[in-house]
């Protein structure tokens, strides 16, 4: 291949079209059946991809490298659009968002300053405006796209800390750093919330000690009475409660914390309320189920992930804040990047509210897909997945071979094949999952609850049918009995 880049020159355009066309053909050829995985073990894959060097003295050229890719990589990639894939909060990519990715990669905009991404900046600003309205915020709100739920949560925790230090403690942590009082700051989150809470507390210098884990009830929701008691106990001990994090869709169970009650408690104690809705943010698109997430508008900040229920390519997330002024915590000006004189003249530099400097034009995927599918299309996608979870839970509940934990609120179902010997049941369920992936190309999840091993279906793919779910239940039963 002679061309370096796509330019206005005819030769580069021809090379670009051929490369994209050949790649598209190879990708479609790799979808040779509906299995999610071709089956190799880790050891087999290591042997397949091993090479003495990936940096030869002389380049092999595109054609040879592409042949290697078709031989070693494409057949062994996880095929997330398969109805046999339901392991994690990681799903297929809607086809229009794949086209968006091609545009994003080809034009390679960087979202830190307006002069690196003119129309891309304006599209992100416009998309954020509509997202804020979708989640019930008014015109004083704002947001920014991030690399994923962890970064969105971290951003929100930073903003919460700085708001609390400035407004409540009357101390400018941005200028002066952490003081003795900051070591007593405490944030409260469900005992089954995402690990990014502890990671963020560590990065912020607050330490794991700052994260107070709140017990959950039988439905895996945060226990508000326990939360109230923990806050009061910390106050008496001289600690400083500053943040409550409600989870809207826990990773394993999809449970939704009671946001209205959390909002009242946060207000009562002058605390920030953040909603980690990385999973459950998609529920807002369903006419049938959106009532379960109406409390999002009460939160000071919201994490939204588009590479989960919204079925967009990784990565694509956003953090929204009720008060745009809170982003000042992240603003610092540099003469080479986000000059104040440009901003005064109407040039928006998105680095002012982002932890990242260089950042992808991920907003395009949302802008394209929302308009492509519309409210009716999105409602159908989300409701199909949520209805599937309820159906699968019902057929499991009627089968004496299985036990479940809690009725699904979103699209996750946690269950296990039963045995009188609990330890034996753990081993059976582990072996079933391994047999599914390596012998049948079916990829499902596994987790632990109450020290017992459970299997998990995360049903994001709207192509999954009730018939498919029945077949999978029967296959799991058959494999479990073979193990016995």
């Amino acid at each position: 291949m002679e061309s370096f880049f796509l330019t206005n020159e005819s030769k580069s355009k021809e090379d670009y079209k051929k490369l994209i066309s050949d790649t598209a053909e190879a990708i479609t050829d790799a979808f040779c059946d509906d299995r999610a995985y071709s089956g190799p073990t880790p050891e087999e894959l290591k042997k397949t991809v091993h090479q003495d060097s990936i940096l030869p003295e002389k380049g092999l050229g595109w054609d040879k490298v592409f042949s290697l890719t078709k031989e070693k990589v494409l057949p062994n990639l996880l095929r997330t659009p398969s109805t046999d894939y339901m392991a994690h909060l990681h799903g297929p990519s809607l086809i229009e968002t794949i086209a968006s990715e091609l545009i994003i990669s080809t034009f390679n905009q960087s979202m830190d300053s307006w002069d690196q991404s003119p129309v891309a900046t304006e599209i992100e600003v416009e998309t954020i405006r509509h997202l804020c309205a979708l989640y019930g915020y008014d015109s004083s709100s704002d947001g920014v796209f991030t690399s994923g739920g962890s970064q969105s949560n971290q951003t929100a925790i930073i903003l919460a800390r700085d708001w609390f230090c400035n407004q409540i403690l009357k101390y400018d942590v941005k200028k002066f750093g952490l003081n003795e009082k900051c070591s007593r700051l405490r944030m409260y989150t469900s005992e089954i919330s995402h690990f990014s809470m502890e990671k963020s507390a560590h990065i912020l210098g607050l330490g794991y000690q700052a994260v107070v884990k709140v017990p959950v009830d039988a439905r895996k929701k945060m226990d508000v009475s326990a939360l109230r008691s923990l806050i009061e106990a910390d106050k008496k001990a001289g600690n400083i409660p500053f943040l409550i994090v409600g989870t809207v869709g826990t990773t394993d169970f999809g449970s939704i914390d009671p946001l209205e009650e959390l909002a009242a408690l946060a207000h009562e104690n002058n605390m920030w309320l953040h909603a980690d809705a990385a999973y459950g943010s998609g529920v807002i698109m369903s006419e049938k189920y959106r009532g379960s997430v109406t409390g999002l508008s009460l939160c000071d900040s919201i994490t939204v992930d588009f590479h989960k229920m919204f079925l967009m390519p990784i990565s694509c997330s956003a953090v929204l804040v009720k008060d745009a002024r809170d982003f000042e915590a992240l603003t610092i000006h540099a003469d080479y990047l986000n000059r104040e004189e440009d901003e005064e003249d109407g040039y928006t530099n998105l680095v002012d509210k982002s932890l990242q400097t260089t950042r992808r034009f991920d907003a395009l995927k949302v802008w394209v897909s929302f308009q492509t599918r519309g409210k009716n299309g999105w409602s159908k996608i989300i409701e199909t997945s949520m209805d599937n979870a309820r159906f699968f839970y019902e057929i499991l509940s009627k089968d004496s071979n299985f036990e479940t934990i809690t009725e699904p609120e979103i699209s996750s179902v946690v269950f296990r094949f039963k045995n009188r010997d609990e330890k034996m049941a753990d081993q059976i369920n582990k072996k079933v999952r391994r047999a599914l992936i390596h012998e049948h190309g079916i990829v499902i999840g596994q987790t632990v609850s109450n020290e017992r091993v459970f299997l998990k279906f995360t049903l994001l793919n709207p192509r999954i049918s009730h018939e498919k779910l029945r077949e999978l239940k029967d296959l799991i039963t058959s494999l479990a009995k073979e193990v016995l």
Side-chain angles (χ1 to χ4, degrees), residues 184 186 188 229-241:
R184 301 203 301 273
R186 296 293 181 266
Y188 304 81
S229 297
L230 288 166
I231 290 172
E232 291 304 317
D234 268 326
K235 284 182 175 180
K236 288 178 182 177
N239 294 320
I240 307 171

Side-chain angles (χ1 to χ4, degrees), residues 83-143:
T83 56
D84 283 340
Y85 181 74
M86 53 194 74
H88 301 283
L89 289 167
H90 164 213
S93 298
L94 291 168
I95 204 159
E96 70 272 13
T97 62
I98 297 171
S100 301
E101 280 284 352
L102 180 58
I103 296 169
I104 292 166
S105 299
T106 300
F107 285 88
N108 204 33
Q109 311 292 280
S110 181
M111 302 302 297
D112 37 332
S113 61
W114 192 94
D115 60 2
Q116 296 180 80
S117 53
V119 74
T121 294
E122 302 304 340
I123 288 289
E124 177 164 328
V125 170
E126 178 75 356
T127 303
I128 287 291
R129 182 173 70 84
H130 286 282
L131 288 173
C132 286
L134 178 65
Y135 289 96
Y137 283 174
D138 62 25
S139 59
S140 64
S141 60
D142 201 357

Side-chain angles (χ1 to χ4, degrees), residues 391-400 402-404 473:
F391 171 80
F392 189 56
Y393 174 81
E394 286 175 8
I395 62 173
L396 288 173
S397 301
K398 295 173 183 176
D399 190 328
S400 60
F402 292 91
E403 66 173 295
T404 56
K473 182 180 76 71

Side-chain angles (χ1 to χ4, degrees), residues 275-404:
D276 176 10
Y279 178 6
S281 48
V283 177
I284 200 79
M285 306 296 272
S286 163
E287 289 297 322
K288 182 177 179 180
Y289 295 112
R290 65 179 303 161
S292 61
V293 295
T294 51
L296 284 168
S297 62
L298 303 174
C299 302
D300 296 292
S301 54
I302 306 168
T303 287
V304 181
D305 264 14
F306 298 100
H307 51 235
K308 292 184 170 68
M309 288 192 86
F310 287 95
L311 307 178
M312 298 188 192
I314 296 169
S315 61
C316 194
S317 180
V319 59
L320 310 177
V321 295
K322 183 177 286 188
D323 188 340
R325 293 173 296 181
D326 291 315
F327 273 124
E328 291 174 8
L330 300 179
T331 302
I332 183 169
H333 287 94
D335 290 337
Y336 57 82
L337 190 63
N338 56 336
R339 292 165 292 275
E340 290 184 88
E341 63 193 62
D342 286 348
E343 293 175 1
E344 290 169 359
D345 290 335
Y347 293 85
T348 300
N349 297 309
L350 294 176
V351 73
D352 289 351
K353 53 184 179 177
S354 174
L355 293 181
Q356 295 171 265
T357 303
T358 304
R359 188 164 57 81
R360 301 177 79 250
F361 179 26
D362 289 318
L364 181 66
K365 291 176 279 192
V366 179
W367 189 83
V368 166
S369 188
F370 275 28
Q371 293 180 87
T372 299
R373 303 283 167 173
K375 287 183 179 180
N376 61 335
W378 272 108
S379 186
K380 185 175 181 181
I381 287 171
I382 300 298
E383 285 175 15
T384 299
S385 296
M386 295 179 71
D387 287 344
N388 277 342
R390 283 151 180 76
F391 171 80
F392 189 56
Y393 174 81
E394 286 175 8
I395 62 173
L396 288 173
S397 301
K398 295 173 183 176
D399 190 328
S400 60
N401 289 311
F402 292 91
E403 66 173 295
T404 56

Side-chain angles (χ1 to χ4, degrees), residues 33-238:
D33 55 45
D34 196 38
R35 291 174 55 155
Y37 182 56
S38 55
T41 64
E43 189 60 34
E44 289 168 340
L45 282 180
K46 285 181 175 66
K47 291 178 180 177
T48 297
V49 303
H50 176 75
Q51 291 178 239
D52 292 333
S53 173
I54 62 166
L55 186 63
E57 288 296 325
K58 294 183 67 176
L60 303 179
W62 166 250
D63 289 339
K64 287 186 179 179
V65 175
F66 189 43
S67 293
L68 278 173
T69 305
K70 289 190 288 185
E71 175 192 347
K72 297 177 179 292
V73 180
L74 293 184
N76 296 310
L77 285 172
L78 200 67
R79 297 196 285 267
T80 55
S82 167
T83 56
D84 283 340
Y85 181 74
M86 53 194 74
H88 301 283
L89 289 167
H90 164 213
S93 298
L94 291 168
I95 204 159
E96 70 272 13
T97 62
I98 297 171
S100 301
E101 280 284 352
L102 180 58
I103 296 169
I104 292 166
S105 299
T106 300
F107 285 88
N108 204 33
Q109 311 292 280
S110 181
M111 302 302 297
D112 37 332
S113 61
W114 192 94
D115 60 2
Q116 296 180 80
S117 53
V119 74
T121 294
E122 302 304 340
I123 288 289
E124 177 164 328
V125 170
E126 178 75 356
T127 303
I128 287 291
R129 182 173 70 84
H130 286 282
L131 288 173
C132 286
L134 178 65
Y135 289 96
Y137 283 174
D138 62 25
S139 59
S140 64
S141 60
D142 201 357
V144 69
F145 275 78
T146 72
S147 66
S150 291
Q151 190 181 86
S152 290
N153 288 335
Q154 184 184 340
T155 300
I157 294 169
I158 292 171
L159 301 186
R161 181 202 63 184
D162 281 33
W163 167 82
F164 189 87
C165 288
N166 284 325
Q167 299 298 318
I168 309 301
L169 300 183
K170 307 301 180 184
Y171 174 73
D172 192 340
V173 70
K174 182 177 179 180
K175 285 185 179 179
F176 304 114
L178 303 179
N179 63 8
E180 188 275 332
K181 276 190 174 181
C182 293
S183 68
R184 301 203 301 273
L185 288 172
R186 296 293 181 266
M187 54 183 281
Y188 304 81
T189 184
S190 159
E191 64 182 344
I192 55 172
S193 64
H194 196 260
F195 68 84
S196 57
M197 306 308 158
E198 288 95 332
K199 184 177 284 189
S200 296
H202 166 218
I203 292 170
L204 269 61
L206 303 177
Y208 287 178
Q209 67 171 3
V211 183
V212 181
K213 289 302 188 79
V214 183
V216 295
D217 62 20
R219 296 199 65 195
K220 304 299 182 181
K221 297 171 178 284
M222 190 189 292
D223 185 329
V224 179
S225 295
L227 171 61
R228 183 181 292 276
S229 297
L230 288 166
I231 290 172
E232 291 304 317
D234 268 326
K235 284 182 175 180
K236 288 178 182 177

